[in-house]
Amino acid sequence: MVTLKDIAERAGVSIMTVSRVMNDKKGKVSPETSERVRRIAKEMGYIPNSTARSLAARSSKIIAVILRDEPATNPLEIPYNAAFLGKIVKILPACGYSIMVHFVQNFSDVTFWLKSWNAEGAIFLGIFDREIRQIRNDNQIPLVFTDSYSNVRRINNVGIDDYKGGQLAAECFLSHGHTRLAFAGPISSGVIAERLQGFSDRLRSAGHPLLPEQTHAFPDRSAADILKSIRESDPAPTGLFVTSDNAAAEFYEAARRAGVSIPDDLSVIGFDDFPVSQMLTPALTTIRQDMEEKAQQTCRILLDRLNNCSSPSEILCLDVNLVERDSVRDLRPPAASPSPLTGERGESGVTP
Amino acid sequence: MVTLKDIAERAGVSIMTVSRVMNDKKGKVSPETSERVRRIAKEMGYIPNSTARSLAARSSKIIAVILRDEPATNPLEIPYNAAFLGKIVKILPACGYSIMVHFVQNFSDVTFWLKSWNAEGAIFLGIFDREIRQIRNDNQIPLVFTDSYSNVRRINNVGIDDYKGGQLAAECFLSHGHTRLAFAGPISSGVIAERLQGFSDRLRSAGHPLLPEQTHAFPDRSAADILKSIRESDPAPTGLFVTSDNAAAEFYEAARRAGVSIPDDLSVIGFDDFPVSQMLTPALTTIRQDMEEKAQQTCRILLDRLNNCSSPSEILCLDVNLVERDSVRDLRPPAASPSPLTGERGESGVTP
DNA sequence: CTGAAAGCGCTTACAG
DNA sequence: CTGAAAGCGCTTACAG
């Protein structure tokens, strides 16, 4: 292993001079020695020791990405998490940071692990609302959360307009003549609660309130189960809003097994606009969130705070929009003219 | 920040004693002092400094996961990579290791980065066949590759029986009466070359050789393009073997747009048996590889070598099998009895 | 522009 | 069972 000392000896200078050259403290070293040291370092194949630098400078250049984990699941099998992490690993190492990934079930691990590695910043994927205050108090480094609806002040968060997403789904159903609707998703999370709220508020104001028994807890109950409940209701809902494209895909599968046709027997709207939504048959109408933008903003906020620790905290809310494809049946009588609601916000989807 | 020194002072012992207690060198410290030190450490909220330990002990407890990256793509949008990485992050931290993730386009980064962090081991996802010899020579730490067909000796690799996978796909088509077939995949990679070889060998031995013009480079050419070529061939193939479920999904989409019915106009077999294969309509017949097992074995091999650096190198080849679903049409005349080929290896797929 | 000194928080190796 | 010394490879802070 080549160290600063080895280079210093060969170059006939002190360790300090070599250190300065390696850290590009220009103007602090004469061009000639700088040049010579650089050449020798290259010849010798010098590789700076990050752990030594981290210890001495108290600056690890490590960013931690922390994903909420549940027993018997794999957080990276959720395409959203995987793609988001991928974007982070594309962006931050290009700025000189190394990425450590950690799954947490018990959040007390988080602080221990961050401090142990002297991480300079952290990004949180998944719902940490209940622990967010303590995490922030325990860690005085830049922290960026995503999709949090915590009311704690002075945290950084990048989220989307989930409420509007719910509204858009409701509007899309209404504008196609649907009035009896159902909802399925993991109701306990803040994000989903907002989507549900937007959905039911919009339905209520249109005079077609969402019935309590048509709010289904998924995946607590299986898609097949929920589908059965929906179909057996009287009168049965004609449309189902599902809180992720992947969950929607499970409903597609359940529908196929049950001989229920989408959209003829049941219309479906998803959420995310991930690739799977285009792979489904019929292609899924969904609420699009811009994951790339979200990841980019998350990294941007983190980098801002890394460079200037007094930057104000930011809570970002990115826009969402409706992507119309083929999973919502038009129930309007042929005579009816298109509703203005669709025209305003809808995006033309692809039709075979 | 609480250090060993702080605890030592409070406990009235030397730093060394505290260090011994913290590292569980039992039998080296009297039970009473050990107990007392442990209590004080807990009271003071001691968190060991991993970077200091790493520097002093030359043992970082860092495992690097290195993914092959291409410009303008996101390696973690490939479900296989994401799920694999997720499994790793489930397994290795439970054994006391921290995971760093790195994407590489230029492989000379790899060594620099591994050495800089003094990583204790590394796992490679993606094709590194051409660089594998040099990577192994440059890094004297345990390295585990996946899906490599490199002929370099003394590397660790976990792969699957790609050749057999190709054979199984061919057999499945043949046993359903298909004789004119096509292949689509990224032909340059070793893994895919094996699948193609198995596929075409089996077809040839059955007297229905794969025509050169029916080997299509995907995604070099778009699914829509390839589909068009296939449909316009004369005589047109009745079955298409695609080298991943996700690629198959793209062909489904292209088929839908082109008004081509699967399996009536074209039968399709995929590879991987990822969740998407069940989401497609019709559900995809595919060659299953056990990703969980693969990840587990990869970690096992790495841990073996971490614990005993003289363990012999291992090249593992995991089995694959056919999962029959609904994307292969039966072309046999009604009178024909089921082929023995299907009975032996086929797994009954789900039928609505 | 350059360097000698001290120290980051820990472990190894030796002495008792 | 316990500790004093030296050192891991680097940076900070000071002196010139």
Side-chain angles (χ1 to χ4, degrees), chain A residues 47-343:
Chain A
I47 295 175
N49 183 322
S50 292
T51 75
R53 176 180 287 175
S54 175
L55 182 60
R58 284 167 210 72
S59 142
S60 65
K61 291 288 179 188
I62 291 175
I63 302 295
V65 180
I66 293 168
L67 304 249
R68 166 119 270 163
D69 189 20
E70 310 287 345
T73 67
N74 179 340
L76 291 180
E77 277 180 11
I78 299 172
Y80 172 82
N81 286 338
F84 202 114
L85 174 60
K87 278 303 276 183
I88 293 172
V89 180
K90 282 267 193 182
I91 296 171
L92 294 180
C95 304
Y97 294 93
S98 293
I99 306 297
M100 276 196 172
V101 182
H102 203 66
F103 295 167
V104 292
Q105 295 185 22
N106 178 344
F107 92 104
S108 70
D109 297 351
V110 174
T111 298
F112 186 92
W113 186 73
L114 288 176
K115 291 201 192 275
S116 165
W117 277 109
N118 189 20
E120 290 191 34
I123 293 171
F124 291 79
L125 300 186
I127 309 302
F128 290 87
D129 287 19
R130 272 184 311 197
E131 303 94 341
I132 208 165
R133 166 167 267 124
Q134 180 148 11
I135 293 175
R136 206 228 25 205
N137 287 348
D138 291 348
N139 298 90
Q140 307 304 321
I141 56 175
L143 262 25
V144 186
F145 293 86
T146 55
D147 293 317
S148 169
Y149 278 98
S150 157
N151 56 3
V152 176
R153 303 290 168 192
R154 305 211 48 228
I155 60 164
N156 301 298
N157 186 66
V158 179
I160 57 169
D161 196 340
D162 293 290
Y163 185 86
K164 177 180 168 190
Q167 287 182 307
L168 288 178
E171 279 177 23
C172 176
F173 277 131
L174 291 168
S175 70
H176 285 79
H178 294 259
T179 54
R180 296 189 310 278
L181 296 162
F183 174 96
I187 300 173
S188 55
S189 102
V191 171
I192 305 305
E194 285 290 312
R195 293 178 193 172
L196 172 56
Q197 193 72 50
F199 188 62
S200 71
D201 282 0
R202 185 69 189 80
L203 290 180
R204 185 178 308 107
S205 74
H208 304 293
L210 182 66
L211 301 178
E213 65 269 27
Q214 294 303 350
T215 298
H216 302 279
F218 177 85
D220 311 54
R221 287 175 63 208
S222 75
D225 242 37
I226 294 171
L227 192 64
K228 192 151 172 277
S229 297
I230 291 174
R231 299 284 296 163
E232 288 174 354
S233 310
D234 188 18
T238 58
L240 171 65
F241 177 35
V242 187
T243 53
S244 81
D245 291 348
N246 266 66
E250 293 198 38
F251 278 92
Y252 268 60
E253 199 191 337
R256 192 175 64 226
R257 291 182 193 225
V260 172
S261 161
I262 296 171
D264 291 338
D265 301 327
L266 184 69
S267 294
V268 177
I269 296 180
F271 205 107
D272 285 338
D273 193 30
F274 280 169
V276 65
S277 59
Q278 298 186 52
M279 294 176 186
L280 294 170
T281 312
L284 182 68
T285 291
T286 192
I287 309 299
R288 173 178 174 75
Q289 66 165 312
D290 191 338
M291 209 281 307
E292 295 252 326
E293 171 78 3
K294 212 164 158 185
Q296 222 130 33
Q297 291 287 352
T298 300
C299 292
R300 201 249 324 139
I301 292 178
L302 191 71
L303 290 168
D304 280 358
R305 267 137 213 82
L306 253 14
N307 297 328
N308 173 8
C309 56
S310 68
S311 308
S313 66
E314 283 188 52
I315 295 185
L316 236 56
C317 178
L318 303 178
D319 200 17
V320 298
N321 59 276
L322 175 71
V323 178
E324 276 201 76
R325 297 204 179 89
D326 312 315
S327 61
V328 176
R329 183 181 168 194
D330 198 343
L331 295 181
R332 290 168 300 180
S337 64
S339 152
L341 288 171
T342 334

